[in-house]
Amino acid sequence: MGLAKTEIFSDQQNEIASFAKVFGHPARVAILQHIFKIDTCVCGDLVSEIGLAQPTISQHLKELKHLGLIKGSVEGTSVCYCIDLDKWLNMKEILNQFLNQDTLKQGDWC
């Protein structure tokens, strides 16, 4: 299998691809939706809420945290996660610029 050769692409292109990858799994989308819905940090109820095994949930949380969309804090023996609002807003700005490229183009497309 070939290498992705991500180094030949701009930082912004790689960042957009990372956002797309994190949204590419419905479990991660469900986790983000749940955190937004409860509007507070979430600790242990993700397993029952999402319906996946704890190790699977942990792996998805790790991906979201690696990208910076969530942050965690230790409370007792558990880690509580919440949305990193600064990173979320930054991601929205980057994706909006990318997705709104069509509004800048005038005339025929082909």
Side-chain angles (χ1 to χ4, degrees):
M1 190 156 121
L3 298 176
K5 296 190 179 185
T6 56
E7 69 277 355
I8 68 171
F9 301 102
S10 73
D11 290 343
Q12 185 183 42
Q13 290 166 332
N14 279 297
E15 190 170 28
I16 291 168
S18 294
F19 293 140
K21 180 182 175 188
V22 84
F23 290 125
H25 197 289
R28 291 190 285 268
V29 173
I31 289 168
L32 289 168
Q33 287 176 320
H34 181 67
I35 295 172
F36 271 114
K37 181 175 85 175
I38 64 170
D39 197 28
T40 186
C41 291
V42 61
C43 295
D45 62 340
L46 281 172
V47 172
S48 60
E49 180 67 28
I50 307 297
L52 297 172
Q54 179 62 52
T56 304
I57 294 290
S58 293
Q59 184 61 38
H60 289 302
L61 288 168
K62 180 181 172 185
E63 292 290 327
L64 291 167
K65 190 170 181 184
H66 176 74
L67 191 57
L69 293 180
I70 62 172
K71 53 187 174 183
S73 61
V74 177
E75 292 187 13
T77 59
S78 61
V79 179
C80 293
Y81 295 96
C82 59
I83 301 294
D84 185 330
L85 195 55
D86 289 336
K87 182 66 174 182
W88 183 265
L89 294 174
N90 179 256
M91 176 202 62
K92 282 176 54 176
E93 183 178 322
I94 291 168
L95 289 177
N96 279 330
Q97 288 174 4
F98 175 70
L99 294 172
N100 288 329
Q101 292 178 85
D102 61 320
T103 61
L104 301 176
K105 182 159 173 61
Q106 300 294 321
D108 293 332
W109 281 90
C110 293

